[in-house]
PDB file of all heavy atoms in Angstrom:
ATOM      1  N   VAL A   1      62.792  22.877 -33.531  1.00 98.00           N
ATOM      2  CA  VAL A   1      61.672  23.587 -32.906  1.00 98.00           C
ATOM      3  C   VAL A   1      61.975  23.627 -31.421  1.00 98.00           C
ATOM      4  O   VAL A   1      62.340  22.615 -30.814  1.00 98.00           O
ATOM      5  CB  VAL A   1      60.326  22.902 -33.184  1.00 98.00           C
ATOM      6  CG1 VAL A   1      59.248  23.440 -32.252  1.00 98.00           C
ATOM      7  CG2 VAL A   1      59.912  23.111 -34.632  1.00 98.00           C
ATOM      8  N   TYR A   2      61.813  24.799 -30.852  1.00 98.00           N
ATOM      9  CA  TYR A   2      62.262  25.066 -29.488  1.00 98.00           C
ATOM     10  C   TYR A   2      61.166  25.810 -28.733  1.00 98.00           C
ATOM     11  O   TYR A   2      60.360  26.525 -29.327  1.00 98.00           O
ATOM     12  CB  TYR A   2      63.522  25.922 -29.559  1.00 98.00           C
ATOM     13  CG  TYR A   2      64.002  26.531 -28.262  1.00 98.00           C
ATOM     14  CD1 TYR A   2      64.854  25.829 -27.427  1.00 98.00           C
ATOM     15  CD2 TYR A   2      63.602  27.815 -27.890  1.00 98.00           C
ATOM     16  CE1 TYR A   2      65.302  26.395 -26.231  1.00 98.00           C
ATOM     17  CE2 TYR A   2      64.049  28.375 -26.709  1.00 98.00           C
ATOM     18  CZ  TYR A   2      64.899  27.662 -25.882  1.00 98.00           C
ATOM     19  OH  TYR A   2      65.338  28.216 -24.711  1.00 98.00           O
ATOM     20  N   GLY A   3      61.128  25.641 -27.418  1.00 97.00           N
ATOM     21  CA  GLY A   3      60.165  26.409 -26.646  1.00 97.00           C
ATOM     22  C   GLY A   3      60.187  26.080 -25.169  1.00 97.00           C
ATOM     23  O   GLY A   3      61.062  25.353 -24.671  1.00 97.00           O
ATOM     24  N   TRP A   4      59.202  26.624 -24.468  1.00 97.00           N
ATOM     25  CA  TRP A   4      59.088  26.494 -23.015  1.00 97.00           C
ATOM     26  C   TRP A   4      57.628  26.274 -22.628  1.00 97.00           C
ATOM     27  O   TRP A   4      56.714  26.700 -23.331  1.00 97.00           O
ATOM     28  CB  TRP A   4      59.546  27.780 -22.316  1.00 97.00           C
ATOM     29  CG  TRP A   4      61.014  28.035 -22.345  1.00 97.00           C
ATOM     30  CD1 TRP A   4      61.722  28.664 -23.333  1.00 97.00           C
ATOM     31  CD2 TRP A   4      61.959  27.701 -21.332  1.00 97.00           C
ATOM     32  NE1 TRP A   4      63.047  28.747 -22.988  1.00 97.00           N
ATOM     33  CE2 TRP A   4      63.221  28.164 -21.766  1.00 97.00           C
ATOM     34  CE3 TRP A   4      61.870  27.070 -20.091  1.00 97.00           C
ATOM     35  CZ2 TRP A   4      64.379  27.991 -21.003  1.00 97.00           C
ATOM     36  CZ3 TRP A   4      63.022  26.903 -19.339  1.00 97.00           C
ATOM     37  CH2 TRP A   4      64.261  27.366 -19.799  1.00 97.00           C
ATOM     38  N   THR A   5      57.433  25.641 -21.470  1.00 98.00           N
ATOM     39  CA  THR A   5      56.133  25.640 -20.807  1.00 98.00           C
ATOM     40  C   THR A   5      56.347  26.028 -19.348  1.00 98.00           C
ATOM     41  O   THR A   5      57.460  25.989 -18.822  1.00 98.00           O
ATOM     42  CB  THR A   5      55.434  24.262 -20.852  1.00 98.00           C
ATOM     43  OG1 THR A   5      56.110  23.332 -19.996  1.00 98.00           O
ATOM     44  CG2 THR A   5      55.390  23.720 -22.267  1.00 98.00           C
ATOM     45  N   ARG A   6      55.251  26.391 -18.709  1.00 98.00           N
ATOM     46  CA  ARG A   6      55.236  26.648 -17.265  1.00 98.00           C
ATOM     47  C   ARG A   6      54.279  25.669 -16.582  1.00 98.00           C
ATOM     48  O   ARG A   6      53.322  25.200 -17.168  1.00 98.00           O
ATOM     49  CB  ARG A   6      54.765  28.076 -16.968  1.00 98.00           C
ATOM     50  CG  ARG A   6      55.856  29.131 -17.045  1.00 98.00           C
ATOM     51  CD  ARG A   6      55.371  30.412 -16.372  1.00 98.00           C
ATOM     52  NE  ARG A   6      56.441  31.399 -16.262  1.00 98.00           N
ATOM     53  CZ  ARG A   6      56.605  32.404 -17.093  1.00 98.00           C
ATOM     54  NH1 ARG A   6      55.790  32.552 -18.111  1.00 98.00           N
ATOM     55  NH2 ARG A   6      57.588  33.265 -16.908  1.00 98.00           N
ATOM     56  N   ASP A   7      54.563  25.433 -15.311  1.00 96.00           N
ATOM     57  CA  ASP A   7      53.709  24.559 -14.467  1.00 96.00           C
ATOM     58  C   ASP A   7      53.505  23.183 -15.078  1.00 96.00           C
ATOM     59  O   ASP A   7      52.368  22.789 -15.362  1.00 96.00           O
ATOM     60  CB  ASP A   7      52.355  25.223 -14.203  1.00 96.00           C
ATOM     61  CG  ASP A   7      52.491  26.544 -13.473  1.00 96.00           C
ATOM     62  OD1 ASP A   7      53.368  26.644 -12.597  1.00 96.00           O
ATOM     63  OD2 ASP A   7      51.711  27.465 -13.786  1.00 96.00           O
ATOM     64  N   PRO A   8      54.543  22.380 -15.290  1.00 96.00           N
ATOM     65  CA  PRO A   8      55.906  22.627 -14.848  1.00 96.00           C
ATOM     66  C   PRO A   8      56.728  23.446 -15.849  1.00 96.00           C
ATOM     67  O   PRO A   8      56.378  23.538 -17.028  1.00 96.00           O
ATOM     68  CB  PRO A   8      56.479  21.215 -14.726  1.00 96.00           C
ATOM     69  CG  PRO A   8      55.747  20.442 -15.782  1.00 96.00           C
ATOM     70  CD  PRO A   8      54.358  20.999 -15.799  1.00 96.00           C
ATOM     71  N   LEU A   9      57.849  23.989 -15.301  1.00 97.00           N
ATOM     72  CA  LEU A   9      58.802  24.724 -16.127  1.00 97.00           C
ATOM     73  C   LEU A   9      59.629  23.721 -16.926  1.00 97.00           C
ATOM     74  O   LEU A   9      60.424  22.957 -16.364  1.00 97.00           O
ATOM     75  CB  LEU A   9      59.707  25.567 -15.231  1.00 97.00           C
ATOM     76  CG  LEU A   9      60.755  26.434 -15.944  1.00 97.00           C
ATOM     77  CD1 LEU A   9      60.080  27.514 -16.783  1.00 97.00           C
ATOM     78  CD2 LEU A   9      61.708  27.052 -14.929  1.00 97.00           C
ATOM     79  N   ILE A  10      59.411  23.704 -18.242  1.00 97.00           N
ATOM     80  CA  ILE A  10      60.091  22.760 -19.136  1.00 97.00           C
ATOM     81  C   ILE A  10      60.652  23.513 -20.324  1.00 97.00           C
ATOM     82  O   ILE A  10      59.958  24.330 -20.943  1.00 97.00           O
ATOM     83  CB  ILE A  10      59.128  21.663 -19.642  1.00 97.00           C
ATOM     84  CG1 ILE A  10      58.509  20.877 -18.475  1.00 97.00           C
ATOM     85  CG2 ILE A  10      59.839  20.729 -20.620  1.00 97.00           C
ATOM     86  CD1 ILE A  10      59.474  20.036 -17.684  1.00 97.00           C
ATOM     87  N   GLU A  11      61.900  23.225 -20.681  1.00 96.00           N
ATOM     88  CA  GLU A  11      62.503  23.687 -21.931  1.00 96.00           C
ATOM     89  C   GLU A  11      62.509  22.498 -22.882  1.00 96.00           C
ATOM     90  O   GLU A  11      62.932  21.403 -22.498  1.00 96.00           O
ATOM     91  CB  GLU A  11      63.922  24.182 -21.674  1.00 96.00           C
ATOM     92  CG  GLU A  11      64.619  24.733 -22.903  1.00 96.00           C
ATOM     93  CD  GLU A  11      66.053  25.140 -22.601  1.00 96.00           C
ATOM     94  OE1 GLU A  11      66.701  24.501 -21.741  1.00 96.00           O
ATOM     95  OE2 GLU A  11      66.539  26.088 -23.240  1.00 96.00           O
ATOM     96  N   PHE A  12      62.056  22.693 -24.133  1.00 98.00           N
ATOM     97  CA  PHE A  12      61.974  21.542 -25.028  1.00 98.00           C
ATOM     98  C   PHE A  12      62.625  21.818 -26.381  1.00 98.00           C
ATOM     99  O   PHE A  12      62.694  22.964 -26.841  1.00 98.00           O
ATOM    100  CB  PHE A  12      60.524  21.074 -25.211  1.00 98.00           C
ATOM    101  CG  PHE A  12      59.604  22.051 -25.887  1.00 98.00           C
ATOM    102  CD1 PHE A  12      59.578  22.185 -27.273  1.00 98.00           C
ATOM    103  CD2 PHE A  12      58.721  22.822 -25.139  1.00 98.00           C
ATOM    104  CE1 PHE A  12      58.726  23.075 -27.895  1.00 98.00           C
ATOM    105  CE2 PHE A  12      57.849  23.712 -25.753  1.00 98.00           C
ATOM    106  CZ  PHE A  12      57.856  23.841 -27.141  1.00 98.00           C
ATOM    107  N   TYR A  13      63.104  20.721 -26.975  1.00 98.00           N
ATOM    108  CA  TYR A  13      63.737  20.746 -28.292  1.00 98.00           C
ATOM    109  C   TYR A  13      63.200  19.589 -29.137  1.00 98.00           C
ATOM    110  O   TYR A  13      63.127  18.447 -28.662  1.00 98.00           O
ATOM    111  CB  TYR A  13      65.246  20.535 -28.183  1.00 98.00           C
ATOM    112  CG  TYR A  13      66.061  21.671 -27.636  1.00 98.00           C
ATOM    113  CD1 TYR A  13      66.226  21.848 -26.259  1.00 98.00           C
ATOM    114  CD2 TYR A  13      66.717  22.544 -28.486  1.00 98.00           C
ATOM    115  CE1 TYR A  13      67.011  22.877 -25.758  1.00 98.00           C
ATOM    116  CE2 TYR A  13      67.512  23.571 -27.997  1.00 98.00           C
ATOM    117  CZ  TYR A  13      67.655  23.731 -26.635  1.00 98.00           C
ATOM    118  OH  TYR A  13      68.431  24.748 -26.140  1.00 98.00           O
ATOM    119  N   ILE A  14      62.877  19.874 -30.386  1.00 98.00           N
ATOM    120  CA  ILE A  14      62.659  18.848 -31.403  1.00 98.00           C
ATOM    121  C   ILE A  14      63.717  19.110 -32.466  1.00 98.00           C
ATOM    122  O   ILE A  14      63.593  20.049 -33.259  1.00 98.00           O
ATOM    123  CB  ILE A  14      61.241  18.912 -31.995  1.00 98.00           C
ATOM    124  CG1 ILE A  14      60.184  18.787 -30.882  1.00 98.00           C
ATOM    125  CG2 ILE A  14      61.056  17.812 -33.038  1.00 98.00           C
ATOM    126  CD1 ILE A  14      58.770  19.050 -31.351  1.00 98.00           C
ATOM    127  N   VAL A  15      64.763  18.318 -32.463  1.00 98.00           N
ATOM    128  CA  VAL A  15      65.973  18.605 -33.245  1.00 98.00           C
ATOM    129  C   VAL A  15      65.917  17.862 -34.578  1.00 98.00           C
ATOM    130  O   VAL A  15      65.914  16.628 -34.622  1.00 98.00           O
ATOM    131  CB  VAL A  15      67.240  18.223 -32.455  1.00 98.00           C
ATOM    132  CG1 VAL A  15      68.489  18.541 -33.274  1.00 98.00           C
ATOM    133  CG2 VAL A  15      67.276  18.963 -31.111  1.00 98.00           C
ATOM    134  N   GLU A  16      65.890  18.632 -35.657  1.00 97.00           N
ATOM    135  CA  GLU A  16      65.886  18.075 -37.005  1.00 97.00           C
ATOM    136  C   GLU A  16      67.291  17.836 -37.536  1.00 97.00           C
ATOM    137  O   GLU A  16      67.553  16.851 -38.218  1.00 97.00           O
ATOM    138  CB  GLU A  16      65.147  19.018 -37.958  1.00 97.00           C
ATOM    139  CG  GLU A  16      63.655  18.991 -37.846  1.00 97.00           C
ATOM    140  CD  GLU A  16      63.077  17.686 -38.360  1.00 97.00           C
ATOM    141  OE1 GLU A  16      62.973  17.509 -39.594  1.00 97.00           O
ATOM    142  OE2 GLU A  16      62.726  16.833 -37.524  1.00 97.00           O
ATOM    143  N   SER A  17      68.198  18.777 -37.265  1.00 96.00           N
ATOM    144  CA  SER A  17      69.565  18.654 -37.757  1.00 96.00           C
ATOM    145  C   SER A  17      70.494  19.358 -36.778  1.00 96.00           C
ATOM    146  O   SER A  17      70.053  20.114 -35.907  1.00 96.00           O
ATOM    147  CB  SER A  17      69.705  19.251 -39.163  1.00 96.00           C
ATOM    148  OG  SER A  17      70.952  18.904 -39.735  1.00 96.00           O
ATOM    149  N   TRP A  18      71.787  19.083 -36.925  1.00 96.00           N
ATOM    150  CA  TRP A  18      72.766  19.625 -35.989  1.00 96.00           C
ATOM    151  C   TRP A  18      74.113  19.741 -36.676  1.00 96.00           C
ATOM    152  O   TRP A  18      74.301  19.300 -37.819  1.00 96.00           O
ATOM    153  CB  TRP A  18      72.861  18.738 -34.746  1.00 96.00           C
ATOM    154  CG  TRP A  18      73.187  17.297 -35.039  1.00 96.00           C
ATOM    155  CD1 TRP A  18      74.432  16.717 -35.095  1.00 96.00           C
ATOM    156  CD2 TRP A  18      72.251  16.256 -35.364  1.00 96.00           C
ATOM    157  NE1 TRP A  18      74.320  15.388 -35.416  1.00 96.00           N
ATOM    158  CE2 TRP A  18      73.005  15.072 -35.583  1.00 96.00           C
ATOM    159  CE3 TRP A  18      70.865  16.208 -35.481  1.00 96.00           C
ATOM    160  CZ2 TRP A  18      72.399  13.863 -35.911  1.00 96.00           C
ATOM    161  CZ3 TRP A  18      70.267  15.001 -35.812  1.00 96.00           C
ATOM    162  CH2 TRP A  18      71.028  13.842 -36.025  1.00 96.00           C
ATOM    163  N   GLY A  19      75.041  20.379 -35.989  1.00 94.00           N
ATOM    164  CA  GLY A  19      76.369  20.584 -36.538  1.00 94.00           C
ATOM    165  C   GLY A  19      77.299  19.431 -36.200  1.00 94.00           C
ATOM    166  O   GLY A  19      77.078  18.291 -36.601  1.00 94.00           O
ATOM    167  N   SER A  20      78.343  19.717 -35.400  1.00 91.00           N
ATOM    168  CA  SER A  20      79.370  18.716 -35.136  1.00 91.00           C
ATOM    169  C   SER A  20      79.006  17.751 -34.022  1.00 91.00           C
ATOM    170  O   SER A  20      79.678  16.740 -33.832  1.00 91.00           O
ATOM    171  CB  SER A  20      80.682  19.427 -34.775  1.00 91.00           C
ATOM    172  OG  SER A  20      80.509  20.252 -33.626  1.00 91.00           O
ATOM    173  N   TRP A  21      77.966  18.030 -33.260  1.00 87.00           N
ATOM    174  CA  TRP A  21      77.642  17.223 -32.078  1.00 87.00           C
ATOM    175  C   TRP A  21      76.156  16.962 -32.016  1.00 87.00           C
ATOM    176  O   TRP A  21      75.353  17.879 -32.112  1.00 87.00           O
ATOM    177  CB  TRP A  21      78.087  17.979 -30.824  1.00 87.00           C
ATOM    178  CG  TRP A  21      77.877  17.264 -29.524  1.00 87.00           C
ATOM    179  CD1 TRP A  21      78.609  16.230 -29.027  1.00 87.00           C
ATOM    180  CD2 TRP A  21      76.868  17.542 -28.538  1.00 87.00           C
ATOM    181  NE1 TRP A  21      78.124  15.844 -27.795  1.00 87.00           N
ATOM    182  CE2 TRP A  21      77.047  16.637 -27.470  1.00 87.00           C
ATOM    183  CE3 TRP A  21      75.835  18.475 -28.455  1.00 87.00           C
ATOM    184  CZ2 TRP A  21      76.248  16.633 -26.332  1.00 87.00           C
ATOM    185  CZ3 TRP A  21      75.018  18.469 -27.322  1.00 87.00           C
ATOM    186  CH2 TRP A  21      75.232  17.559 -26.277  1.00 87.00           C
ATOM    187  N   ARG A  22      75.798  15.672 -31.898  1.00 90.00           N
ATOM    188  CA  ARG A  22      74.383  15.312 -31.801  1.00 90.00           C
ATOM    189  C   ARG A  22      73.933  15.400 -30.349  1.00 90.00           C
ATOM    190  O   ARG A  22      74.472  14.732 -29.478  1.00 90.00           O
ATOM    191  CB  ARG A  22      74.148  13.896 -32.329  1.00 90.00           C
ATOM    192  CG  ARG A  22      72.681  13.452 -32.283  1.00 90.00           C
ATOM    193  CD  ARG A  22      72.536  12.036 -32.845  1.00 90.00           C
ATOM    194  NE  ARG A  22      71.133  11.611 -32.860  1.00 90.00           N
ATOM    195  CZ  ARG A  22      70.532  10.931 -31.891  1.00 90.00           C
ATOM    196  NH1 ARG A  22      71.226  10.594 -30.798  1.00 90.00           N
ATOM    197  NH2 ARG A  22      69.269  10.580 -31.985  1.00 90.00           N
ATOM    198  N   PRO A  23      72.944  16.213 -30.079  1.00 89.00           N
ATOM    199  CA  PRO A  23      72.481  16.385 -28.699  1.00 89.00           C
ATOM    200  C   PRO A  23      71.644  15.172 -28.255  1.00 89.00           C
ATOM    201  O   PRO A  23      71.271  14.350 -29.087  1.00 89.00           O
ATOM    202  CB  PRO A  23      71.614  17.641 -28.791  1.00 89.00           C
ATOM    203  CG  PRO A  23      71.077  17.611 -30.182  1.00 89.00           C
ATOM    204  CD  PRO A  23      72.187  17.040 -31.020  1.00 89.00           C
ATOM    205  N   PRO A  24      71.331  15.090 -26.928  1.00 87.00           N
ATOM    206  CA  PRO A  24      71.692  16.039 -25.877  1.00 87.00           C
ATOM    207  C   PRO A  24      72.812  15.554 -24.977  1.00 87.00           C
ATOM    208  O   PRO A  24      73.036  16.126 -23.910  1.00 87.00           O
ATOM    209  CB  PRO A  24      70.391  16.135 -25.084  1.00 87.00           C
ATOM    210  CG  PRO A  24      69.852  14.736 -25.118  1.00 87.00           C
ATOM    211  CD  PRO A  24      70.232  14.193 -26.486  1.00 87.00           C
ATOM    212  N   GLY A  25      73.504  14.465 -25.325  1.00 73.00           N
ATOM    213  CA  GLY A  25      74.549  13.954 -24.448  1.00 73.00           C
ATOM    214  C   GLY A  25      74.022  13.098 -23.316  1.00 73.00           C
ATOM    215  O   GLY A  25      74.738  12.830 -22.366  1.00 73.00           O
ATOM    216  N   ALA A  26      72.773  12.664 -23.391  1.00 73.00           N
ATOM    217  CA  ALA A  26      72.207  11.806 -22.350  1.00 73.00           C
ATOM    218  C   ALA A  26      72.615  10.357 -22.606  1.00 73.00           C
ATOM    219  O   ALA A  26      72.742   9.928 -23.754  1.00 73.00           O
ATOM    220  CB  ALA A  26      70.682  11.935 -22.340  1.00 73.00           C
ATOM    221  N   PRO A  27      72.816   9.573 -21.546  1.00 68.00           N
ATOM    222  CA  PRO A  27      73.308   8.210 -21.723  1.00 68.00           C
ATOM    223  C   PRO A  27      72.287   7.240 -22.288  1.00 68.00           C
ATOM    224  O   PRO A  27      72.647   6.267 -22.942  1.00 68.00           O
ATOM    225  CB  PRO A  27      73.726   7.798 -20.305  1.00 68.00           C
ATOM    226  CG  PRO A  27      72.897   8.644 -19.407  1.00 68.00           C
ATOM    227  CD  PRO A  27      72.725   9.946 -20.118  1.00 68.00           C
ATOM    228  N   VAL A  28      71.003   7.471 -22.023  1.00 77.00           N
ATOM    229  CA  VAL A  28      69.970   6.551 -22.498  1.00 77.00           C
ATOM    230  C   VAL A  28      68.768   7.340 -22.982  1.00 77.00           C
ATOM    231  O   VAL A  28      68.451   8.407 -22.452  1.00 77.00           O
ATOM    232  CB  VAL A  28      69.517   5.577 -21.386  1.00 77.00           C
ATOM    233  CG1 VAL A  28      70.628   4.612 -21.029  1.00 77.00           C
ATOM    234  CG2 VAL A  28      69.039   6.324 -20.147  1.00 77.00           C
ATOM    235  N   SER A  29      68.107   6.820 -24.017  1.00 88.00           N
ATOM    236  CA  SER A  29      66.851   7.416 -24.453  1.00 88.00           C
ATOM    237  C   SER A  29      65.705   6.687 -23.763  1.00 88.00           C
ATOM    238  O   SER A  29      65.812   5.514 -23.412  1.00 88.00           O
ATOM    239  CB  SER A  29      66.705   7.337 -25.973  1.00 88.00           C
ATOM    240  OG  SER A  29      66.523   5.990 -26.384  1.00 88.00           O
ATOM    241  N   LEU A  30      64.601   7.401 -23.579  1.00 92.00           N
ATOM    242  CA  LEU A  30      63.434   6.824 -22.929  1.00 92.00           C
ATOM    243  C   LEU A  30      62.536   6.089 -23.908  1.00 92.00           C
ATOM    244  O   LEU A  30      61.615   5.391 -23.504  1.00 92.00           O
ATOM    245  CB  LEU A  30      62.631   7.923 -22.231  1.00 92.00           C
ATOM    246  CG  LEU A  30      63.394   8.771 -21.214  1.00 92.00           C
ATOM    247  CD1 LEU A  30      62.451   9.776 -20.562  1.00 92.00           C
ATOM    248  CD2 LEU A  30      64.042   7.888 -20.170  1.00 92.00           C
ATOM    249  N   GLY A  31      62.808   6.255 -25.193  1.00 94.00           N
ATOM    250  CA  GLY A  31      62.010   5.613 -26.221  1.00 94.00           C
ATOM    251  C   GLY A  31      62.253   6.278 -27.553  1.00 94.00           C
ATOM    252  O   GLY A  31      63.187   7.076 -27.713  1.00 94.00           O
ATOM    253  N   THR A  32      61.420   5.965 -28.520  1.00 97.00           N
ATOM    254  CA  THR A  32      61.522   6.560 -29.852  1.00 97.00           C
ATOM    255  C   THR A  32      60.127   6.909 -30.353  1.00 97.00           C
ATOM    256  O   THR A  32      59.124   6.360 -29.906  1.00 97.00           O
ATOM    257  CB  THR A  32      62.189   5.612 -30.862  1.00 97.00           C
ATOM    258  OG1 THR A  32      61.370   4.442 -31.022  1.00 97.00           O
ATOM    259  CG2 THR A  32      63.582   5.208 -30.405  1.00 97.00           C
ATOM    260  N   VAL A  33      60.086   7.830 -31.301  1.00 97.00           N
ATOM    261  CA  VAL A  33      58.853   8.118 -32.017  1.00 97.00           C
ATOM    262  C   VAL A  33      59.186   8.219 -33.503  1.00 97.00           C
ATOM    263  O   VAL A  33      60.166   8.861 -33.887  1.00 97.00           O
ATOM    264  CB  VAL A  33      58.183   9.419 -31.520  1.00 97.00           C
ATOM    265  CG1 VAL A  33      59.118  10.618 -31.597  1.00 97.00           C
ATOM    266  CG2 VAL A  33      56.902   9.700 -32.301  1.00 97.00           C
ATOM    267  N   THR A  34      58.400   7.556 -34.315  1.00 97.00           N
ATOM    268  CA  THR A  34      58.546   7.624 -35.767  1.00 97.00           C
ATOM    269  C   THR A  34      57.394   8.465 -36.306  1.00 97.00           C
ATOM    270  O   THR A  34      56.218   8.120 -36.128  1.00 97.00           O
ATOM    271  CB  THR A  34      58.529   6.228 -36.389  1.00 97.00           C
ATOM    272  OG1 THR A  34      59.627   5.470 -35.856  1.00 97.00           O
ATOM    273  CG2 THR A  34      58.688   6.309 -37.901  1.00 97.00           C
ATOM    274  N   VAL A  35      57.753   9.589 -36.936  1.00 97.00           N
ATOM    275  CA  VAL A  35      56.763  10.549 -37.397  1.00 97.00           C
ATOM    276  C   VAL A  35      57.387  11.400 -38.488  1.00 97.00           C
ATOM    277  O   VAL A  35      58.613  11.620 -38.494  1.00 97.00           O
ATOM    278  CB  VAL A  35      56.272  11.428 -36.214  1.00 97.00           C
ATOM    279  CG1 VAL A  35      57.410  12.195 -35.582  1.00 97.00           C
ATOM    280  CG2 VAL A  35      55.159  12.376 -36.630  1.00 97.00           C
ATOM    281  N   ASP A  36      56.593  11.863 -39.438  1.00 95.00           N
ATOM    282  CA  ASP A  36      57.060  12.760 -40.493  1.00 95.00           C
ATOM    283  C   ASP A  36      58.242  12.174 -41.268  1.00 95.00           C
ATOM    284  O   ASP A  36      59.136  12.896 -41.712  1.00 95.00           O
ATOM    285  CB  ASP A  36      57.451  14.125 -39.921  1.00 95.00           C
ATOM    286  CG  ASP A  36      56.286  14.825 -39.236  1.00 95.00           C
ATOM    287  OD1 ASP A  36      55.152  14.718 -39.729  1.00 95.00           O
ATOM    288  OD2 ASP A  36      56.519  15.478 -38.199  1.00 95.00           O
ATOM    289  N   GLY A  37      58.256  10.853 -41.420  1.00 93.00           N
ATOM    290  CA  GLY A  37      59.295  10.209 -42.216  1.00 93.00           C
ATOM    291  C   GLY A  37      60.620  10.009 -41.522  1.00 93.00           C
ATOM    292  O   GLY A  37      61.604   9.616 -42.154  1.00 93.00           O
ATOM    293  N   GLY A  38      60.691  10.264 -40.219  1.00 96.00           N
ATOM    294  CA  GLY A  38      61.943  10.072 -39.483  1.00 96.00           C
ATOM    295  C   GLY A  38      61.688   9.419 -38.137  1.00 96.00           C
ATOM    296  O   GLY A  38      60.569   9.426 -37.624  1.00 96.00           O
ATOM    297  N   THR A  39      62.741   8.840 -37.556  1.00 97.00           N
ATOM    298  CA  THR A  39      62.664   8.266 -36.218  1.00 97.00           C
ATOM    299  C   THR A  39      63.510   9.107 -35.282  1.00 97.00           C
ATOM    300  O   THR A  39      64.670   9.418 -35.585  1.00 97.00           O
ATOM    301  CB  THR A  39      63.140   6.809 -36.200  1.00 97.00           C
ATOM    302  OG1 THR A  39      62.278   6.030 -37.048  1.00 97.00           O
ATOM    303  CG2 THR A  39      63.094   6.227 -34.796  1.00 97.00           C
ATOM    304  N   TYR A  40      62.932   9.465 -34.161  1.00 97.00           N
ATOM    305  CA  TYR A  40      63.557  10.354 -33.186  1.00 97.00           C
ATOM    306  C   TYR A  40      63.749   9.624 -31.863  1.00 97.00           C
ATOM    307  O   TYR A  40      62.849   8.909 -31.400  1.00 97.00           O
ATOM    308  CB  TYR A  40      62.682  11.586 -32.927  1.00 97.00           C
ATOM    309  CG  TYR A  40      62.384  12.448 -34.115  1.00 97.00           C
ATOM    310  CD1 TYR A  40      61.513  12.024 -35.115  1.00 97.00           C
ATOM    311  CD2 TYR A  40      62.945  13.719 -34.247  1.00 97.00           C
ATOM    312  CE1 TYR A  40      61.219  12.824 -36.209  1.00 97.00           C
ATOM    313  CE2 TYR A  40      62.660  14.536 -35.329  1.00 97.00           C
ATOM    314  CZ  TYR A  40      61.793  14.080 -36.311  1.00 97.00           C
ATOM    315  OH  TYR A  40      61.502  14.875 -37.389  1.00 97.00           O
ATOM    316  N   ASP A  41      64.901   9.820 -31.235  1.00 96.00           N
ATOM    317  CA  ASP A  41      65.115   9.352 -29.875  1.00 96.00           C
ATOM    318  C   ASP A  41      64.561  10.392 -28.903  1.00 96.00           C
ATOM    319  O   ASP A  41      64.706  11.606 -29.115  1.00 96.00           O
ATOM    320  CB  ASP A  41      66.605   9.140 -29.600  1.00 96.00           C
ATOM    321  CG  ASP A  41      67.173   7.973 -30.384  1.00 96.00           C
ATOM    322  OD1 ASP A  41      66.521   6.915 -30.418  1.00 96.00           O
ATOM    323  OD2 ASP A  41      68.256   8.125 -30.975  1.00 96.00           O
TER     324      ASP A  41
END
């Protein structure tokens, strides 16, 4: 699920699955959320 907001300008992703590379390449996660039967960074 993908989208944008304004004020502030934010691009967002809720990634369920991916191909050869797991995004987003950030060194640390700020936390986790467990919802809908899965845990997300």
Side-chain angles (χ1 to χ4, degrees):
V1 166
Y2 169 88
W4 288 86
T5 71
R6 276 195 172 99
D7 299 323
L9 181 65
I10 302 293
E11 182 183 32
F12 64 81
Y13 287 85
I14 303 171
V15 181
E16 284 290 282
S17 191
W18 56 91
S20 59
W21 182 75
R22 181 179 182 267
V28 292
S29 69
L30 304 182
T32 63
V33 56
T34 299
V35 60
D36 300 322
T39 298
Y40 300 72
D41 291 315

